Amino acid sequence: MIKKLDTLIIRSFIGPFFATFLISLFVLVMQFFWLYIDDLVGKGLDMGTISELIMYVSVSAVPLALPLAMLLSSIMTFGNLGETFELVAIKSAGIPLLRFMRPLLIVSLFITGIAFVFANNIIPVAQLKLATLKYDIIVAKPAFDIKEGTFYNQIRDFTIKIGKKEKDDSTIRNVIIFEKKYGLQDNMLIANNGIMRVTPDKKFLEFILRDGWRYEEKGQRQTLQTDYIRLGFKEYKKVLDLSTFKMIQTADSSFKYDPKMLSVRQLNVTIDSLKKTGNAFVKRSNAEISPLLNFTKYADTGWVAVDKSKLKVTDSFFKLIPDTIKVSVYDRAINQISAVRNTANILADEFSSKTKSLRYHEIEWHRKFTLSFACLVLFLIGAPLGSIIRKGGLGMPLVFSIIFFIIFHLFNTFGEKFVKEGVMSSFNGMWLSIMILLPISMFLIYKAMRDSQLFNQEFYYRSFGTAKKFITSFKKNK
């Protein structure tokens, strides 16, 4: 009987889980493309590159899609059981809530382990490939698109402005082309009209310009031996190279030091190294700043206390300096202080950079555990929540799933932001959402075990009606 019950619950869970996981993954992938739509449109990407990009984005979104799928599918599973009164039959047989939650609890633990292995071993590789491919796409020059009345500088060494384009998108008017050759002055072409077209092999852009002038200045810089040339033409052909529009594949090694591309073992090594570097900054500061201050060399020579009563009283220390060397003393002091300040600023910037890098590595270390553990916590929220609301399908479960997932995602984002700004420690910041949701899950389990009417509308209607009658009778008696 118990084995059949476990099989029934697991079968009821598998279908909604895979369906909600694919939906969540699709939404997260669409979110990525919506975010980078401006960098992707107009690049002339082939289907192979787009498919590769979708694959890497999908793999990278799995750790965030799994907790959402666990939450929604667990609410749907227990909501369906409650809506069909199977949950009532199970409870009437004397089986407590925790007992028929046990098979899915084991499944959620298994999924949590898979999520961690996935985040630790597969996600770093996918993130590395995604970062490389995304960089290549973004830095690739956009497809040829010159608009009217705007300066177009995406072709190397040239800036183009077209006053008007005819409907055929080839005939152009009021054309200005600046040619940068790093000489004395930019060369310039001005034409009243012309034709613009891309060669059939997509490698060159041709301009057939008519009724215009070419201005050019030749010679060496900072000399008078220069020539100014003005050339009028009836027709002039200008060919521009479009080879820079091609997407160049960057090596993966360019991004391998990003914290997102490291496993837990690699992060441990890097974090330990960064902590040691931070501890060595005190010694390094003393070693670099002390030589700039002459008085520090007397610090260990056995300083003898001086009787202040024997010192000559003066209004200012500067009166002790002879006038003949006062200017040189001032200049030397200023130079010495400037050197100390510059060295201190360099050390402070480097220490700040190391500290920031340490926080980013600690964030990624904790993220691998928090997103995995979130699968279990959101299941512990979804299972009792489904048994309380007793509604299946995608209506009420979807609403509650969105609410709790937004809470999880917001506090997870806030905690990460606090860690990056140094407001919270990496542990408190990255586990903030878990610390908030875990007590909520315990509360919902407690309510579900006692058949709470927490989300029952009729219960609130009855309570409101009772309160209304009490208030009415109280007013009459008064």
Side-chain angles (χ1 to χ4, degrees):
M1 179 63 183
I2 299 299
K3 291 183 179 180
K4 290 183 179 180
L5 177 62
D6 295 341
T7 304
L8 170 67
I9 295 174
I10 293 175
R11 284 182 177 177
S12 302
F13 174 78
I14 290 176
F17 172 74
F18 281 106
T20 54
F21 173 73
L22 292 176
I23 293 173
S24 304
L25 196 62
F26 175 78
V27 171
L28 293 173
V29 171
M30 289 298 102
Q31 182 186 18
F32 172 86
F33 281 98
W34 181 261
L35 182 64
Y36 290 97
I37 189 68
D38 293 335
D39 298 315
L40 299 176
V41 173
K43 299 287 184 172
L45 303 177
D46 57 278
M47 287 303 300
T49 303
I50 296 175
S51 301
E52 186 180 3
L53 182 63
I54 293 175
M55 181 184 67
Y56 293 145
V57 173
S58 302
V59 172
S60 302
V62 167
L64 196 58
L66 280 176
L68 179 58
M70 288 294 300
L71 175 62
L72 182 54
S73 59
S74 58
I75 295 178
M76 290 177 60
T77 300
F78 284 87
N80 287 328
L81 292 175
E83 191 174 20
T84 57
F85 298 100
E86 293 178 86
L87 202 59
V88 177
I90 292 172
K91 288 183 178 180
S92 63
I95 302 175
L97 174 68
L98 294 178
R99 173 60 190 85
F100 62 81
M101 279 178 57
R102 188 174 68 181
L104 293 187
L105 183 61
I106 296 174
V107 172
S108 65
L109 288 172
F110 178 71
I111 293 175
T112 300
I114 291 178
F116 174 74
V117 173
F118 201 88
N120 188 47
N121 298 291
I122 300 178
I123 293 299
V125 179
Q127 286 282 357
L128 179 61
K129 297 289 185 180
L130 176 61
T132 306
L133 183 59
K134 186 171 65 175
Y135 174 80
D136 292 339
I137 293 175
I138 290 175
V139 301
K141 295 294 185 297
F144 174 65
D145 183 21
I146 302 178
K147 296 181 174 61
E148 294 181 357
T150 60
F151 287 95
Y152 184 85
N153 58 358
Q154 298 300 320
I155 300 178
R156 188 175 59 190
D157 297 334
F158 290 93
T159 300
I160 304 170
K161 182 181 179 182
I162 295 176
K164 185 178 179 181
K165 293 171 68 175
E166 300 296 342
K167 294 182 179 180
D168 59 2
D169 210 33
S170 179
T171 304
I172 54 179
R173 303 188 185 280
N174 300 327
V175 185
I176 302 175
I177 300 177
F178 295 94
E179 180 181 353
K180 182 69 175 178
K181 290 296 186 181
Y182 300 98
L184 185 65
Q185 182 174 314
D186 296 347
N187 300 331
M188 185 169 61
L189 279 169
I190 298 177
N192 291 330
N193 58 77
I195 296 175
M196 175 182 65
R197 60 188 173 216
V198 180
T199 58
D201 57 2
K202 307 294 183 182
K203 293 182 179 180
F204 300 96
L205 175 64
E206 290 183 348
F207 285 91
I208 308 297
L209 304 176
R210 301 185 182 92
D211 299 330
W213 294 88
R214 174 181 171 86
Y215 301 94
E216 183 178 1
E217 189 171 356
K218 294 183 178 181
Q220 297 181 355
R221 291 171 180 256
Q222 299 178 352
T223 64
L224 298 177
Q225 303 300 322
T226 60
D227 296 326
Y228 179 74
I229 302 173
R230 187 178 71 166
L231 174 66
F233 57 83
K234 291 293 182 180
E235 184 173 295
Y236 189 92
K237 183 177 181 181
K238 183 69 176 178
V239 180
L240 306 182
D241 186 11
L242 298 181
S243 60
T244 55
F245 280 44
K246 297 180 180 179
M247 192 178 71
I248 303 173
Q249 293 186 349
T250 308
D252 295 342
S253 57
S254 303
F255 301 92
K256 67 179 181 180
Y257 297 108
D258 192 289
K260 295 180 180 179
M261 288 59 168
L262 303 178
S263 63
V264 171
R265 181 180 60 82
Q266 294 170 329
L267 286 170
N268 286 332
V269 175
T270 308
I271 290 173
D272 184 64
S273 176
L274 289 172
K275 287 182 177 179
K276 290 180 179 179
T277 304
N279 296 332
F281 258 89
V282 177
K283 296 181 179 179
R284 181 180 169 185
S285 300
N286 291 332
E288 294 189 12
I289 295 179
S290 295
L292 301 176
L293 301 173
N294 293 332
F295 61 84
T296 57
K297 59 186 177 181
Y298 302 110
D300 299 327
T301 57
W303 185 265
V304 179
V306 179
D307 187 1
K308 294 182 180 180
S309 61
K310 297 180 180 180
L311 293 176
K312 183 179 179 180
V313 179
T314 182
D315 295 334
S316 173
F317 169 77
F318 298 106
K319 291 184 178 180
L320 300 176
I321 304 175
D323 294 337
T324 55
I325 62 171
K326 187 173 292 186
V327 175
S328 62
V329 170
Y330 287 169
D331 292 340
R332 184 176 179 184
I334 292 172
N335 293 334
Q336 195 171 10
I337 293 173
S338 299
V340 172
R341 184 180 61 184
N342 293 335
T343 304
N345 288 337
I346 293 172
L347 290 172
D349 292 340
E350 188 174 349
F351 180 76
S352 177
S353 176
K354 293 288 184 182
T355 305
K356 184 178 180 180
S357 179
L358 175 61
R359 289 199 298 266
Y360 275 59
H361 282 80
E362 289 178 341
I363 286 172
E364 295 304 323
W365 189 91
H366 286 285
R367 193 197 306 277
K368 297 183 186 301
F369 292 94
T370 53
L371 289 180
S372 304
F373 194 70
C375 297
L376 178 61
V377 174
L378 292 180
F379 166 75
L380 294 177
I381 290 177
L385 192 60
S387 63
I388 292 174
I389 62 177
R390 298 178 183 178
K391 295 289 184 181
L394 286 174
M396 189 68 70
L398 183 61
V399 174
F400 283 101
S401 298
I402 292 174
I403 292 173
F404 281 102
F405 186 76
I406 288 176
I407 293 173
F408 163 74
H409 189 62
L410 283 179
F411 280 102
N412 195 38
T413 304
F414 291 158
E416 182 178 345
K417 183 68 174 178
F418 292 154
V419 176
K420 288 181 178 179
E421 297 296 330
V423 178
M424 300 179 68
S425 65
S426 57
F427 177 82
N428 292 333
M430 295 305 295
W431 289 87
L432 179 62
S433 58
I434 302 297
M435 293 177 185
I436 292 174
L437 292 178
L438 193 58
I440 296 177
S441 67
M442 298 296 106
F443 171 76
L444 292 175
I445 291 175
Y446 172 80
K447 287 294 185 181
M449 290 176 63
R450 283 156 179 76
D451 294 328
S452 171
Q453 298 182 350
L454 190 63
F455 300 103
N456 190 351
Q457 296 179 357
E458 296 180 0
F459 170 74
Y460 292 103
Y461 289 148
R462 291 195 302 268
S463 301
F464 180 75
T466 304
K468 186 177 181 181
K469 290 179 181 179
F470 175 77
I471 294 172
T472 304
S473 61
F474 177 77
K475 288 181 178 180
K476 288 181 180 180
N477 294 331
K478 187 176 180 181

